Amino acid sequence: MSTLVHLLWLPLAAAVLPYLVPAGTRLDPVGFGRVASGFILAMSLVQVAAFDYAEPERMQQPMDVAWIPSIGVRFHLGVDGISLPLVVLTTLLTFLCFVYLGRHETPNARLLTALLFVLEVGMIGTFLALDLVLFFVFFEIVLIPMYAIIAVWGGERRRHAAYKFILYTLLGSAALLAGLLLLGVNAGTFDMVALSERQGFDIARGVQIAAFAFIGFGLAVKAPMWPLHTWLPDAHTEAPTVGSVLLAGVLLKMGTYGLVRIAVPALPEGAEFWAPWLGCLAVVGIIYGSLACLAQTDLKRLIAYSSIGHMGFVLLGIATLTATGLNAALFGNIAHGLITGLLFFLAGSIKERYGTGDLAEIGGGMLARAPRLAGVLTFAAVASLGLPGLAGFWGEMLALVGAYRPGAGLPRETFVTYMAVAAVGAVLTAAYFLRLLAKITHGRSGAGSAVADAHPVEWASWVPLIVLVVLVGLWPKVLLALTDGPVRALIGAGS
């Protein structure tokens, strides 16, 4: 049996075990979650140590057994250089969420612990699945636990945000299932490895265009791509801190990962047909997200809209259909997960101290009142705006390079225009983050009592992300060496 299975059954067991403890037994669910998620993180690091870096394009630790033989569906798992960083990101952020929860008592902690572990099963399974139907099952597993986390532990308008989240994602899921079935039936297989190797062979051009449209629509809702993004700001604003961290850090990546893993390699003619439109919507999202951030008055809502802009760069990279662009997208996925995860942790800490996320009520002077908290916020903001030397720089820069030289068959003039518009979006990103820092870290102190500075538990949840943002920014090869080989294999590129 593949050791990858442990990354699925361990969180599933951790979700159930607290409910098997005999009545009257004292159990700290969050403490248990911290230990269990730490063990799962260690298991993912074992995969990192065991990975064969000489062949990152090869599916490693495979498991392939019959699951639903009547329709040819298999329980097929594997990990390569594309999925390995996302698996580690998932286990890391889940562990850090449990660390963060240890700062104070959590209501209904046993249920929250169980939901976070079920969520982890779905997220990890999505990145390991190599069968279209199995991918869809794991893709859907995350919906109910995230809906419940928002609806039960969210803010005042949590029910509205949760309903909006589930309705949009279910609509996207219906389109995704239709596209996956259309692809699998016409190809005669649901095996994702075989589909990527065939490069659309024996699938009619019209079928490819239709299947890519359905799959792309379903995945774009989760990404989210403008104009399918409207569920995201409400979900982020109302979700508890750990919900926002996992939603931004991992769930958004499931959509763009699906495009790279399934849609682009299996449906190359469909991808070429829709790529200019995908690029157009991506750059509209970049500009829209940046302008929306300039108008925001709530900290979490601002970070949520920033995600739309950053994921626009990821989608632009995918739209170029080049190795450079796809590498940019995968790099941007990891960078966004690290930086925005950190930003939402900070937003939660700030809201706890000030009792609000409203920028006007928070006021200025955080550097004087809580210098360490303000310092980490400044670091996260400059990382998110793409400062060279930090993780946020490379994904955006490579996406622009990819747009300058798009894939063969794509209109170069159009993509060069997209590059120029996206560059304006990068400038606007710097503008809204500098505006944010000017409003709350500098200037006169806001009203209210003294603000507590960073707590040791908060440092424990922040420092790993800070270190990785610096490490990946200074040494981008740590990711690019993993993804480049698999990306070239997926698109059949020799250069």
Side-chain angles (χ1 to χ4, degrees):
M1 180 182 291
S2 169
T3 57
L4 295 180
V5 179
H6 300 322
L7 292 174
L8 298 177
W9 73 258
L10 282 173
L12 192 60
V16 175
L17 281 175
Y19 287 94
L20 301 180
V21 174
T25 304
R26 294 189 62 184
L27 173 70
D28 174 16
V30 173
F32 168 79
R34 195 155 49 245
V35 172
S37 62
F39 186 74
I40 296 165
L41 171 61
M43 287 296 299
S44 71
L45 295 178
V46 169
Q47 298 298 326
V48 172
F51 192 79
D52 182 1
Y53 294 92
E55 295 183 284
E57 68 279 1
R58 178 173 59 86
M59 282 297 169
Q60 303 182 28
Q61 297 292 333
M63 177 181 182
D64 188 7
V65 297
W67 186 32
I68 312 176
S70 59
I71 57 173
V73 176
R74 304 185 66 81
F75 198 90
H76 190 185
L77 304 175
V79 65
D80 66 356
I82 291 174
S83 52
L84 182 65
L86 290 164
V87 170
V88 176
L89 176 67
T90 301
T91 58
L92 173 64
L93 288 179
T94 304
F95 170 67
L96 295 181
C97 283
F98 278 109
V99 171
Y100 185 86
L101 286 173
R103 188 177 170 216
H104 49 71
E105 185 142 349
T106 303
N108 211 347
R110 188 174 303 202
L111 177 59
L112 179 60
T113 297
L115 290 171
L116 287 174
F117 279 122
V118 173
L119 192 64
E120 187 174 29
V121 171
M123 294 185 295
I124 293 174
T126 299
F127 300 132
L128 297 181
L130 295 176
D131 181 277
L132 294 179
V133 176
L134 184 63
F135 172 87
F136 180 77
V137 169
F138 282 122
F139 194 87
E140 294 304 290
I141 283 176
V142 304
L143 299 186
I144 298 303
M146 182 54 72
Y147 166 83
I149 289 170
I150 297 171
V152 176
W153 290 272
E156 292 181 4
R157 300 182 72 247
R158 58 186 180 274
R159 295 297 175 88
H160 168 79
Y163 289 147
K164 201 170 183 179
F165 165 77
I166 200 74
L167 288 174
Y168 267 77
T169 49
L170 284 176
L171 173 64
S173 297
L176 175 62
L177 179 60
L180 294 177
L181 292 177
L182 184 61
L183 168 60
V185 169
N186 279 273
T189 181
F190 293 106
D191 188 290
M192 289 159 57
V193 176
L195 288 168
S196 65
E197 289 174 350
R198 291 183 188 182
Q199 296 281 304
F201 182 74
D202 276 350
I203 304 178
R205 174 178 169 81
V207 173
Q208 289 198 39
I209 292 172
F212 192 97
F214 280 113
I215 294 172
F217 180 89
L219 296 173
V221 171
K222 188 68 69 75
M225 180 178 72
W226 182 93
L228 305 172
H229 67 282
T230 56
W231 61 270
L232 183 69
D234 289 333
H236 271 316
T237 303
E238 301 303 326
T241 298
V242 294
S244 292
V245 168
L246 292 176
L247 182 59
V250 184
L251 264 68
L252 304 190
K253 314 304 175 288
M254 292 164 60
T256 50
Y257 170 81
L259 286 170
V260 174
R261 174 68 75 193
I262 301 171
V264 170
L267 301 163
E269 291 186 70
E272 183 179 327
F273 178 86
W274 289 110
W277 297 99
L278 178 60
C280 178
L281 294 174
V283 296
V284 170
I286 292 169
I287 298 298
Y288 171 84
S290 299
L291 293 176
C293 284
L294 287 169
Q296 295 309 305
T297 59
D298 181 89
L299 178 58
K300 288 188 73 175
R301 206 167 183 86
L302 184 151
I303 299 170
Y305 275 107
S306 77
S307 291
I308 296 169
H310 289 307
M311 296 309 291
F313 279 98
V314 172
L315 291 165
L316 177 61
I318 295 171
T320 67
L321 303 183
T322 62
T324 300
L326 293 179
N327 276 306
L330 295 169
F331 197 104
N333 270 344
I334 300 299
H336 180 265
L338 296 172
I339 296 169
T340 308
L342 177 59
L343 280 169
F344 274 116
F345 274 135
L346 292 165
S349 295
I350 290 170
K351 189 170 183 179
E352 287 176 12
R353 285 164 169 79
Y354 289 87
T356 180
D358 186 274
L359 299 180
E361 292 185 34
I362 292 172
M366 189 184 293
L367 272 172
R369 303 170 77 182
R372 294 178 181 84
L373 176 62
V376 178
L377 177 63
T378 301
F379 170 84
V382 297
S384 192
L385 63 81
L387 184 73
L390 298 177
F393 170 73
W394 294 104
E396 296 185 5
M397 186 273 289
L398 290 172
L400 296 177
V401 172
Y404 185 72
R405 290 193 179 92
L410 298 181
R412 185 168 185 267
E413 296 80 4
T414 300
F415 275 85
V416 170
T417 303
Y418 293 162
M419 179 196 71
V421 175
V424 173
V427 174
L428 292 174
T429 301
Y432 67 72
F433 270 118
L434 293 175
R435 169 182 172 270
L436 168 67
L437 295 176
K439 286 180 74 71
I440 66 175
T441 62
H442 294 73
R444 295 182 179 180
S445 297
S449 58
V451 176
D453 212 337
H455 188 276
V457 172
E458 292 173 321
W459 278 116
S461 58
W462 299 343
V463 167
L465 298 178
I466 294 171
V467 171
L468 287 172
V469 167
V470 175
L471 174 65
V472 172
L474 293 177
W475 191 24
K477 187 179 178 181
V478 73
L479 281 181
L480 294 175
L482 271 175
T483 62
D484 189 54
V487 160
R488 292 180 184 278
L490 284 177
I491 63 175
S495 62

